[in-house]
Amino acid sequence: MVFDFRLQVFQTVARRSSFTKAASELFISQPAVTKHIHELESQLKTKLFDRNGSKISLTPAGEILLHHAEQIFEIYRNLEFEINNLSQRHSGKLRLGASTTAAQYILPPILAAFHRKFHNIEVTLTTKNTEEIEQALQNKEIDLGVIEGYSRHAAIKYTEFLNDEIVLVANSKNPLAPTGVVTAQELRQIPLLLREPGSGTLEVIAHALKYIGLHIADLNVEMQLSSSESMKLYLLHSDSMAFISVHAVLKELQSKECRIIDVEGLSIDRHFHFTSLHGQQEALPELFMKFALHHRK
C-alpha cells in the first residue's frame, strides 16, 4: 500500500537523519524521498521534520509517528513469521557463534524457545569474543554470529538485533558506591577490570571514552578478564570497578550486591548484531534470526 511505503520512507529518513542516506538504502531517488515525505505531511496535516540547512530532526508529531510506525512494522513482521511457520517443517543443523555476553545472558532463553518450536533442528553454539566470531564466520566454521562492537568487515552483513548498555559497576560495599557518581578525572584513579583485547565490549568502551577525553591507556587497569562472570566474582571481593553489560548484572543489581556508578558525561550504548556472510541465502540462519527478533524483549 502507498501509505505503508510512505511510512517506510519516513522511518528510514528518521533513523538515518538524512534524505540522501534514506534514498540510497531504499533504492529510490532523493526527490522521490522528499515527495513521499511531503505527501505524508500533507496527508497528516502536520510537519514531521524540522530542517536546518543540511540537518534534519523530528518534530513532536514526527516522534509520535515514528513510535507508531515501528509498532506497525513489528506487527507486520510477526504476522508474516507466524503465517509462514504454519506451512513449513524445518530440520537440519544450525551452527551459531556468539560473543560472551550474548552467549551467556541473551541467547539461552531464546534457544530454549527455539528448540521447543523446532525440535528437529540441531543447534550448536560456539562462544568466543567478537573478533574470533567474525573470523569463524569468514572461515565458514559457523553459519550465523551474534556480536557487539564497531568492527565492520566488507564480507559480512550486519543485522541489528538488540539494544544494550554498558555500565560501570562496583560492589555495594565499595567506598565510592554510596556517592553513585564519579568524574572523568576520578575514573582515571579507580582500579578497573576490563575485558580482553579483541572483545567487542572493550572496543565499545574505548570508543565511548573518547567523548570524555579519555583513552584506555589513561585508565588504572587492574586486570583484564575474558568473561563477565569472572569480573563480577572478582568485584564482590575487591574495591575495583568494572564496565559490564547491564544484561550481565541484572541479578546482582536486584539483590543489591552491586550498584551502578555513573560517570559524568559518559553514556555507553551499543547494539548486538547478527552477522552473516554477504550473499549467504541459507534458510536456517534466516529462520533463527526471524525467530529471535520475534522473541526479543
Side-chain angles (χ1 to χ4, degrees), residues 24-43:
S24 176
E25 185 171 323
L26 295 170
F27 301 103
I28 60 177
S29 67
Q30 186 173 334
V33 170
T34 303
K35 182 173 182 288
H36 280 299
I37 296 300
H38 283 163
E39 289 174 346
L40 194 54
E41 289 177 326
S42 176
Q43 185 174 359

Side-chain angles (χ1 to χ4, degrees), residues 86 95 240 260:
L86 285 176
R95 301 169 303 164
S240 58
I260 293 173

Side-chain angles (χ1 to χ4, degrees), residues 26 41 48 93 128 269:
L26 295 170
E41 289 177 326
L48 300 173
K93 183 172 182 178
K128 297 182 178 181
D269 299 311

